[in-house]
Amino acid sequence: MRQRIYHVLEDAESDNKVSQIYNRFMLVCIVASMIPLCFKQTNLLFSLMDKITVSVFIFDYILRWITADYKFRESGKAAFLKYPFSVYAIVDLLSILPSLTTLNSGFKLFRLFRLNKAFKTLRLLRYSKSFHLILSVIKRERQALMAVCILSGGYILLSALIMFQVEPESFKTFFDAIYWAVVTLTTVGYGDLYPVSDIGRVVSMISSVMGIAIVALPTGIITAGYMSELNKDNDTQ
């Protein structure tokens, strides 16, 4: 029985009609759970929708937990202990917990916990083929992406250090210089912190030009890898 439940939960991309119906039902529940988040006020209908969808999510969470050994292909208690700490299980739990709490909404600090309801939107990722393709691309190109991240981080620290030395009046702390370097590297340019000396402006221009190249690198890597995965998927079909 547990094996049949697992196939219903995980075999949506195969010819398992029951699994496809279940996944479509879950998509409807996910979309329905997000409707109340689009409104500041609540009413009886929204409360009812929230209770019904959360009940479905709890049921889905339990089913996935009791079939964790099939998912991880492990026998024994290890799979059941591992599942609550998996990414999707944490996302599922974060989408359920806020609706189960009875906290006084008058406490502003407690309202922050209700922000976790936005994690219901992440449940859509489980059923997104494109998202899984992107994860495959990131996993395959992780070394190139890591090199770009190191290059970006190094350039941010270097340009911030240079600017902090040549513009001591404009940047009171080193964190201000790092903030400026990140904003300049990403070509956002808020304008709240900016150099006033000629040397500082030269460094700022170089940083802006380098930012365009560095920001474009991961975009090109992911795009090329995504197209390669799409072509590979089309060839297999």
Side-chain angles (χ1 to χ4, degrees):
M1 178 61 70
R2 291 194 307 108
Q3 188 175 13
R4 291 180 180 178
I5 293 174
Y6 170 75
H7 288 305
V8 170
L9 295 174
E10 302 290 346
D11 287 351
E13 295 183 2
S14 65
D15 295 331
N16 192 329
K17 298 297 182 182
V18 179
S19 180
Q20 293 175 1
I21 293 173
Y22 179 80
N23 278 271
R24 289 169 185 168
F25 170 72
M26 289 300 301
L27 283 174
V28 172
C29 291
I30 293 168
V31 174
S33 72
M34 291 188 291
I35 294 177
L37 302 179
C38 301
F39 298 88
K40 292 184 178 180
Q41 296 80 16
T42 185
N43 53 43
L44 182 60
L45 176 61
F46 289 164
S47 298
L48 185 62
M49 290 173 60
D50 186 68
K51 291 179 180 179
I52 293 175
T53 54
V54 168
S55 299
V56 173
F57 295 157
I58 293 173
F59 183 68
D60 178 77
Y61 183 85
I62 294 173
L63 290 180
R64 294 183 184 278
W65 197 350
I66 64 176
T67 58
D69 51 341
Y70 292 102
K71 179 178 179 62
F72 293 112
R73 305 180 190 277
E74 296 180 5
S75 58
K77 299 180 181 179
F80 301 103
L81 295 175
K82 184 189 299 183
Y83 179 77
F85 301 99
S86 62
V87 176
Y88 284 126
I90 293 173
V91 170
D92 290 346
L93 192 61
L94 288 175
S95 70
I96 294 170
L97 284 179
S99 298
L100 301 180
T101 58
T102 56
L103 301 178
N104 189 340
S105 60
F107 294 96
K108 293 183 178 180
L109 182 61
F110 290 159
R111 290 179 184 175
L112 296 176
F113 189 63
R114 300 188 66 189
L115 292 176
N116 286 334
K117 286 188 175 182
F119 279 98
K120 290 177 180 177
T121 60
L122 296 181
R123 292 176 65 94
L124 288 169
L125 298 179
R126 185 196 297 275
Y127 311 103
S128 174
K129 185 177 180 180
S130 298
F131 176 71
H132 289 290
L133 282 176
I134 292 175
L135 285 182
S136 299
V137 171
I138 293 176
K139 184 177 180 180
R140 192 180 67 181
E141 304 292 344
R142 60 183 181 276
Q143 292 183 346
L145 292 173
M146 184 62 68
V148 173
C149 290
I150 295 174
L151 176 64
S152 302
Y155 187 78
I156 287 172
L157 292 175
L158 180 61
S159 58
L161 183 61
I162 295 174
M163 190 62 71
F164 186 61
Q165 296 298 320
V166 301
E167 292 278 347
E169 294 82 10
S170 301
F171 302 95
K172 304 300 182 183
T173 64
F174 186 62
F175 181 77
D176 289 341
I178 292 178
Y179 166 76
W180 166 87
V182 172
V183 171
T184 304
L185 186 69
T186 55
T187 67
V188 176
Y190 291 116
D192 51 345
L193 291 174
Y194 53 89
V196 294
S197 66
D198 292 338
I199 298 178
R201 289 174 179 173
V202 170
V203 174
S204 180
M205 288 188 291
I206 296 174
S207 181
S208 298
V209 174
M210 289 293 295
I212 296 174
I214 293 177
V215 170
L217 282 175
T219 305
I221 293 172
I222 293 176
T223 302
Y226 188 75
M227 294 303 299
S228 177
E229 286 290 330
L230 282 179
N231 294 331
K232 186 190 300 182
D233 188 57
N234 292 331
D235 292 338
T236 56
Q237 294 178 356

